Amino acid sequence: MTTPSPAFDFDAVVVGAGAVGLATGYALAQRGLSVAVLEKERAIGQGVSSRNSEVIHAGLYYPTGSLKARLCVEGRRRLYSFLESHGVPYSRCGKLVVATEPAEIPRLEAIALQAQANEVEDVTPLSAEQALALEPELRVVMALSSAQSGLLDSHGYMLALQGEIEDRGGAVVVSTPFEGAEPLAGGGFRVRAGGDEATELTCRLLVTAPGLGAQAAAARIEGFDAALIPKLHFGKGVYFVLRGRPPFRQLIYPPPIPSALGVHYRCDLGGQARFGPDLHFVDIEDYTVDPALEPGFAAYIRRFWPALPDGALSPDYSGIRPKLHGPGEPQPDFRIDDASVHGLEGLVTLFGIESPGLTSSLAIGETVAARLGL
Ligand SMILES: Cc1cc2nc3c(=O)[nH]c(=O)nc-3n(C[C@H](O)[C@H](O)[C@H](O)COP(=O)(O)OP(=O)(O)OC[C@H]3O[C@@H](n4cnc5c(N)ncnc54)[C@H](O)[C@@H]3O)c2cc1C
């Protein structure tokens, strides 16, 4: 059991028990800190981390030198070895990025160059014949194969992280919303938490990783300059499930759409084929899937899978990306803000942890620890 510094209830409090908050709690607990992860819902992993594609991204697309590029590649390497050593189901199934017409070939060539700049391993250009030998039902003129892309059981991953924190004497406390914090004279924070019983606890270090709640949490930290809180935009993406036999073994991605990777194909670890997510900016957190989107999905999918049968798609689930930009605006990087940004020693605030946040989570946790001087 780890004992906190005598002056505090915990060395570190992390707000949010999604993949990123749990991975951060794990990074801090590994360094011998006593950690409490506070979660407002009745169970861990009910937020963005349970409404995504569960794809382990290789790191092909992100701008050179960005946090997304670096943390996706490092996070992916760490993630495969964590999943393997903790017996969490995953598959390094590989992915094909496909050009379905000659006009898309320059976009694939640009992705290949970006992948090289990002030091992504095992990315190989394939001719149409080579791609068809792997996936005969594709419509393709050229493809990029990414052998390091894969799939994971995201809930199994989060349970394993929770286990690691608890095994080191930390606590993952559900039904306990973070309601605010104030910096203490001499360092550290007093944190207010709600739930069945309102609680106050003190900690030396505070990290906010509440996904879609990042802006609201930062606004409740006394002394946090409101001008430093970026505007939150909801980037909704819906999925359709395929009734019938999965047509492909690998992940299949057309070139990205503006601001997202776009509707892709995956066959999940249970053998169910799905397509999604698209991208719509919405004003409220609403997870309904509009069946009227089906014809648009079918037309898009037939560009790379002409044999999609009529009526084979059913509405499935949706997720909302915590975006820091609106429609038509450039897509910013992850924000991992420490005292050099906001001036509050011992505090790290995360904003805009959209894709590839799940893949990057272990590397985000390591970065947070480093920013806290650990
Ligand atoms: C449609 C879609 C597809 C995606 N696909 C992929 C993919 O294939 N691969 C990939 O790498 N990434 C993907 N992502 C991104 C990835 O899912 C996220 O980056 C990641 O899950 C974010 O994790 P998180 O822990 O920051 O947020 P969350 O999982 O949302 O966790 C935040 C937690 O904080 C809690 N919380 C909020 N406010 C408070 C409060 N006041 N007090 C206490 N707790 C609070 C929430 O309940 C939640 O449990 C996708 C995202 C979307 C939306």
Side-chain angles (χ1 to χ4, degrees):
M1 170 87 184
T2 323
T3 35
S5 330
F8 300 104
D9 297 320
F10 290 93
D11 291 322
V13 166
V14 179
V15 178
V20 174
L22 290 167
T24 301
Y26 171 51
L28 301 179
Q30 271 186 313
R31 287 161 172 78
L33 272 64
S34 65
V35 174
V37 182
L38 307 184
E39 169 54 52
K40 72 177 167 69
E41 299 295 337
R42 291 197 306 192
I44 66 165
Q46 303 300 299
V48 189
S49 299
S50 65
R51 295 178 162 276
N52 56 59
S53 301
E54 298 194 301
V55 169
I56 302 174
H57 288 296
L60 308 177
Y61 310 95
Y62 312 105
T64 312
S66 62
L67 285 172
K68 285 183 181 173
R70 185 171 65 75
L71 299 181
C72 183
V73 172
E74 183 194 328
R76 185 243 307 156
R77 291 176 187 149
R78 287 179 181 274
L79 186 57
Y80 276 124
S81 84
F82 182 94
L83 299 173
E84 181 63 32
S85 61
H86 289 75
V88 178
Y90 72 94
S91 160
R92 210 183 297 241
C93 56
K95 146 168 152 177
L96 296 182
V97 188
V98 295
T100 57
E101 50 190 78
E104 287 176 340
I105 291 177
R107 298 185 62 198
L108 254 55
E109 289 167 344
I111 294 169
L113 285 176
Q114 188 63 67
Q116 202 176 14
N118 294 352
E119 299 181 11
V120 179
E121 313 85 335
D122 305 327
V123 178
T124 322
L126 301 180
S127 65
E129 294 69 31
Q130 288 170 318
L132 285 168
L134 295 170
E135 301 288 5
E137 294 196 39
L138 271 182
R139 176 166 171 261
V140 56
V141 295
M142 183 200 159
L144 274 188
S145 159
S146 165
Q148 292 297 328
S149 302
L151 285 164
L152 80 154
D153 167 0
S154 54
H155 202 70
Y157 168 53
M158 290 188 276
L159 283 173
L161 289 169
Q162 176 179 9
E164 283 286 355
I165 294 166
E166 291 174 348
D167 285 352
R168 290 172 165 79
V172 177
V173 197
V174 296
S175 303
T176 306
F178 169 83
E179 294 195 334
E182 61 178 283
L184 296 169
F189 298 87
R190 176 176 291 110
V191 170
R192 281 180 285 110
D196 287 343
E197 278 177 43
T199 319
E200 283 197 347
L201 46 93
T202 58
C203 55
R204 183 164 65 83
L205 306 171
L206 176 63
V207 181
T208 58
L212 292 163
Q215 281 76 355
R220 289 172 168 220
I221 299 172
E222 229 172 75
F224 197 98
D225 181 353
L228 297 174
I229 302 177
K231 184 167 164 42
L232 172 65
H233 298 267
F234 291 150
K236 181 172 177 179
V238 310
Y239 293 84
F240 280 75
V241 70
L242 177 73
R243 272 179 279 115
R245 177 190 58 84
F248 306 111
R249 284 184 316 110
Q250 304 202 27
L251 300 159
I252 308 291
Y253 279 64
I257 59 173
S259 306
L261 295 185
V263 170
H264 55 261
Y265 165 88
R266 78 182 197 273
C267 177
D268 71 18
L269 296 172
Q272 177 63 62
R274 289 193 168 80
F275 297 92
D278 60 355
L279 173 63
H280 303 274
F281 285 89
V282 294
D283 295 328
I284 50 164
E285 212 179 320
D286 163 25
Y287 292 101
T288 52
V289 179
D290 183 357
L293 293 170
E294 192 271 347
F297 261 71
Y300 190 84
I301 294 162
R302 286 197 178 102
R303 287 171 47 194
F304 62 88
W305 185 36
L308 169 66
D310 285 339
L313 298 176
S314 303
D316 198 12
Y317 65 97
S318 72
I320 295 183
R321 306 162 178 92
K323 283 191 165 289
L324 300 183
H325 67 102
E329 293 172 0
Q331 195 175 6
D333 204 357
F334 293 152
R335 276 203 23 202
I336 303 178
D337 291 356
D338 58 27
S340 68
V341 176
H342 51 60
L344 297 175
E345 286 302 331
L347 173 69
V348 172
T349 49
L350 305 184
F351 296 104
I353 310 297
E354 55 165 322
S355 189
L358 181 61
T359 308
S360 309
S361 49
L362 289 168
I364 294 175
E366 290 296 312
T367 301
V368 170
R371 299 281 184 92
L372 290 168
L374 300 166

